[in-house]
Amino acid sequence: MKKVVTLVLAFVFAVSMTGCAQTVHVAFPFDPADLDFIEMFHFYTPAKAEKKVITEQADMKDLYDRLEGISLKDKETEPVAGGSVTSFRFHCADGTTYEVIYSSIAVKSGRIKMTGDETDYFTSADLAACWSNYDYEAATAGENELPALYGK
């Protein structure tokens, strides 16, 4: 009887693990102290995009910490039309840039694509809310300034 229970539990565990998506976290290749500024873009249509430039060290660290703590899953979602895009372009003192692009797919969830990563991940974090969380002047962004969601 004990062997049967063990086999059943092993089978249930194996089946449940095949349905689980692997969880990863954002890992930046720089520290907050390395940042000169962050450009944040937000749009529903590229022709009406806006951007904010975050320059205060405390705000840059806050945004860095907020993004680095996000859980990401490598799982498929249904494509959605009409969502917003909120992206973050980190400008480091050494001249390098790093981008995190968030495309909303539902209320408080979306897909994230990051510089140097071929995979776009699902997150239940509401990164679109970051646009309202930082009190900087919003300016019109040219379409040529916007991040490319896929490929380059």
Side-chain angles (χ1 to χ4, degrees):
M1 179 69 170
K2 188 175 182 181
K3 286 183 181 181
V4 172
V5 170
T6 303
L7 286 173
V8 169
L9 288 175
F11 177 76
V12 169
F13 178 75
V15 169
S16 67
M17 289 307 292
T18 59
C20 294
Q22 180 183 4
T23 300
V24 296
H25 292 87
V26 174
F28 291 118
F30 55 86
D31 292 318
D34 298 331
L35 293 170
D36 273 345
F37 62 96
I38 301 169
E39 290 177 299
M40 184 171 21
F41 298 90
H42 183 76
F43 59 92
Y44 287 92
T45 59
K48 295 182 180 180
E50 293 184 299
K51 83 174 179 180
K52 294 180 180 181
V53 179
I54 299 171
T55 55
E56 294 293 324
Q57 191 64 40
D59 291 337
M60 289 190 291
K61 181 173 180 350
D62 179 68
L63 184 55
Y64 176 99
D65 291 343
R66 180 183 306 247
L67 292 174
E68 193 167 60
I70 293 173
S71 294
L72 308 172
K73 292 190 179 197
D74 185 7
K75 76 175 195 176
E76 291 186 29
T77 55
E78 293 296 320
V80 176
S84 69
V85 172
T86 305
S87 69
F88 312 90
R89 184 174 295 142
F90 295 86
H91 292 266
C92 297
D94 67 2
T96 60
T97 59
Y98 188 86
E99 292 193 273
V100 175
I101 305 165
Y102 173 82
S103 178
S104 64
I105 59 171
V107 176
K108 297 184 180 182
S109 67
R111 308 271 327 159
I112 287 184
K113 179 102 173 129
M114 298 173 286
T115 297
D117 203 334
E118 295 298 318
T119 305
D120 67 327
Y121 295 97
F122 170 81
T123 183
S124 58
D126 183 14
L127 294 184
C130 289
W131 180 255
S132 301
N133 291 346
Y134 296 95
D135 192 24
Y136 289 81
E137 183 179 340
T140 301
E143 288 186 55
N144 61 335
E145 294 180 84
L146 300 178
L149 284 175
Y150 298 94
K152 269 198 174 186

